[in-house]
Amino acid sequence: MSPPFVFRIDEIAESPDANASTLVDSRGNWMPSTESGANIRMSGGVSGRWYFCDRECIRQVNHCPPNAARYKTFSVYFVGGFGFWVLRGDATSPGEGEAWQPLRFDWDQENFSSFLTNAGQQSTLRVQRTDQEWPKMLLPDIYQTTSMTPFTAYGGLKGELPLFLALVAFSVRKDYLASVLPTMFQQHEWRTHEYQHGRENLRGVVVYVYTCPSGSAQTVSPRDELQQYEEGRLGHYYN
């Protein structure tokens, strides 16, 4: 079950003034810059809106609650023909020493789940099942695997929560995100949708996740509970 948390998903783009410093990787794919001011916040999507996941549903709130504390921030760009670039932190104000990395996965060899990360060893999901809808909703074909399993206990998804929320944002066109996002988490679980994906070339988002104490007696801290959620110990985002 998901612990409570607060989040924001802002659209970002490369600044017009950053063209002179545009980078490419070793294969000629566009690569975002980490220079100050190279990435700017944009309108559209759900930019500037705060959302609260209260264990049961997602709803918009007027502001970040005063008892919330910053947990993690990740920035993500989609590049057609390449996939996702991931930066730990806010690309509009990048931290020193942070670099863009391709989206990667770590594989759990016990339950064959996949962990979303910017620093993993694998380029695809560990295994998939024919009854799963979320892989094609969240991910382009390049991240999917031909290793199939009939066992429903295998093939789940876990990992860095801001990365997961970024993929959720990219799963639908930005114009529809405000109406679709609240429908994707209901009755304690993440749902899928059948809308057209929103993976536009060079679309970017920065996702901020904050802890939010539940108000009831807790045996673990809100930060530790979110970490357990990311590790799949409270259940996977998708099974």
Side-chain angles (χ1 to χ4, degrees):
M1 178 184 295
S2 167
F5 63 91
V6 178
F7 67 95
R8 196 175 87 196
I9 303 172
D10 286 353
E11 300 284 330
I12 60 173
E14 184 181 46
S15 167
D17 299 329
N19 287 337
S21 61
T22 295
L23 305 174
V24 295
D25 67 7
S26 60
R27 298 185 177 181
N29 297 298
W30 178 84
M31 187 177 183
S33 173
T34 54
E35 291 186 7
S36 179
N39 302 286
I40 56 175
R41 215 173 308 277
M42 304 290 288
S43 60
V46 294
S47 290
R49 304 185 189 186
W50 289 99
Y51 288 88
F52 178 38
C53 179
D54 65 0
R55 296 186 192 270
E56 295 186 2
C57 65
I58 288 175
R59 65 178 187 271
Q60 188 177 344
V61 292
N62 292 330
H63 51 77
C64 186
N67 63 342
R70 177 75 67 90
Y71 178 61
K72 288 181 181 179
T73 301
F74 274 83
S75 302
V76 183
Y77 270 103
F78 177 74
V79 180
F82 169 79
F84 294 105
W85 284 111
V86 178
L87 178 78
R88 184 172 58 182
D90 185 345
T92 67
S93 181
E96 270 190 49
E98 296 297 338
W100 291 95
Q101 304 287 347
L103 175 65
R104 288 292 183 259
F105 306 88
D106 282 328
W107 289 352
D108 188 318
Q109 300 297 357
E110 291 186 6
N111 59 26
F112 296 95
S113 60
S114 300
F115 186 100
L116 292 164
T117 177
N118 65 319
Q121 300 299 311
Q122 310 298 334
S123 59
T124 67
L125 298 172
R126 175 63 180 89
V127 296
Q128 287 175 238
R129 304 190 313 270
T130 57
D131 65 320
Q132 291 175 312
E133 298 178 356
W134 64 262
K136 62 183 178 182
M137 182 191 78
L138 291 182
L139 298 164
D141 291 345
I142 59 170
Y143 296 110
Q144 297 181 40
T145 180
T146 56
S147 297
M148 308 300 291
T149 178
F151 300 108
T152 57
Y154 296 159
L157 183 69
K158 56 189 179 181
E160 302 283 3
L161 181 55
L163 282 187
F164 172 70
L165 294 172
L167 295 183
V168 167
F170 283 113
S171 77
V172 65
R173 290 168 52 186
K174 66 179 74 174
D175 294 344
Y176 294 162
L177 184 56
S179 58
V180 176
L181 180 59
T183 72
M184 294 189 66
F185 187 85
Q186 298 181 24
Q187 298 178 335
H188 312 287
E189 64 181 16
W190 289 96
R191 308 294 180 91
T192 58
H193 65 74
E194 296 182 352
Y195 292 93
Q196 180 181 0
H197 70 74
R199 296 189 288 270
E200 302 171 11
N201 188 42
L202 305 193
R203 180 186 175 189
V205 298
V206 55
V207 181
Y208 311 87
V209 173
Y210 286 70
T211 66
C212 191
S214 64
S216 59
Q218 292 180 280
T219 57
V220 298
S221 71
R223 178 174 290 272
D224 288 344
E225 192 175 20
L226 270 182
Q227 184 175 346
Q228 291 177 6
Y229 184 46
E230 292 180 315
E231 293 171 350
R233 288 189 277 166
L234 305 179
H236 295 145
Y237 302 136
Y238 289 112
N239 290 314

